Amino acid sequence: QLAEVMAAENRSDLLIGGEVDEEGGVVLLYRGDLTSLLVPLTAFLKSGDGIVPDFGQFSIEDHGQVLSFGEYEASAESILYEFDADYRKRYRKNLVKTGKGLGASIRRLRLHKGLRQTDFKDVNEKEIRRLEAGEVKKPHQSTLQKIAATLGVAVDKLGTF
């Protein structure tokens, strides 16, 4: 698995090992590109089914995608998202390209047209942000009409970009 992770294009997003310092309250993670990331042990909360991490039984599993502390598991993706700003930026950028749904489609079209979230007349920036983030499941028809007019498309085409 180590050789596969080291050869992977996304090796910086995969883990190859680490060291737990319980006294210091941190785990030092090593990534496939040989960079490191320091994560506080407090990041590993008790799971929904009551499993707590056993920091004495640390390992990396599933080709660098899972941190294991005994029976407790955490995804490398979630840890990197929380503690690595560059990873978070790449993740969000990829989400813009691949995201599904009305909000993602509106965001792609808005960016393509060079518009900001503040450029929508009569639609609050916060509403645009919430819609693009997928927090609004059923926007009002009047809101969709205003968004479509600003983007220069028909309302029924908003979700197709």
Side-chain angles (χ1 to χ4, degrees):
Q1 289 187 31
L2 177 62
E4 290 177 28
V5 170
M6 300 287 289
E9 282 187 38
N10 66 331
R11 64 184 160 271
S12 66
D13 301 338
L14 302 171
L15 305 174
I16 59 172
E19 299 176 47
V20 174
D21 178 1
E22 287 190 70
E23 195 173 298
V26 296
V27 60
L28 176 62
L29 299 172
Y30 299 103
R31 298 161 92 157
D33 64 354
L34 303 180
T35 60
S36 61
L37 179 67
L38 203 57
V39 178
L41 296 180
T42 56
F44 305 98
L45 304 174
K46 180 169 69 172
S47 70
D49 53 359
I51 298 174
V52 294
D54 179 354
F55 296 117
Q57 294 186 15
F58 170 67
S59 63
I60 302 293
E61 309 291 333
D62 196 20
H63 294 68
Q65 298 180 77
V66 175
L67 291 87
S68 177
F69 300 102
E71 303 233 348
Y72 182 96
E73 293 184 339
S75 74
E77 182 178 83
S78 65
I79 296 302
L80 292 172
Y81 187 86
E82 186 170 349
F83 294 99
D84 180 346
D86 290 333
Y87 175 86
R88 195 167 37 253
K89 186 177 179 180
R90 286 192 318 273
Y91 181 88
R92 288 180 179 160
K93 189 174 183 177
N94 187 50
L95 194 57
V96 168
K97 292 179 185 174
T98 62
K100 305 219 183 305
L102 177 64
S105 183
I106 290 172
R107 180 176 170 90
R108 279 190 293 274
L109 185 56
R110 175 180 64 77
L111 292 172
H112 177 73
K113 300 244 180 193
L115 298 173
R116 297 171 304 202
Q117 290 175 331
T118 56
D119 291 336
F120 290 82
K121 187 178 179 185
D122 300 322
V123 181
N124 185 306
E125 172 189 1
K126 182 178 177 183
E127 184 69 12
I128 297 293
R129 185 173 47 251
R130 290 182 66 236
L131 181 62
E132 288 181 357
E135 296 172 9
V136 177
K137 300 301 177 195
K138 289 202 84 158
H140 294 284
Q141 188 64 25
S142 61
T143 301
L144 291 177
Q145 289 170 340
K146 293 171 188 174
I147 291 170
T150 301
L151 294 172
V153 299
V155 173
D156 63 337
K157 299 293 183 200
L158 279 176
T160 64
F161 293 90

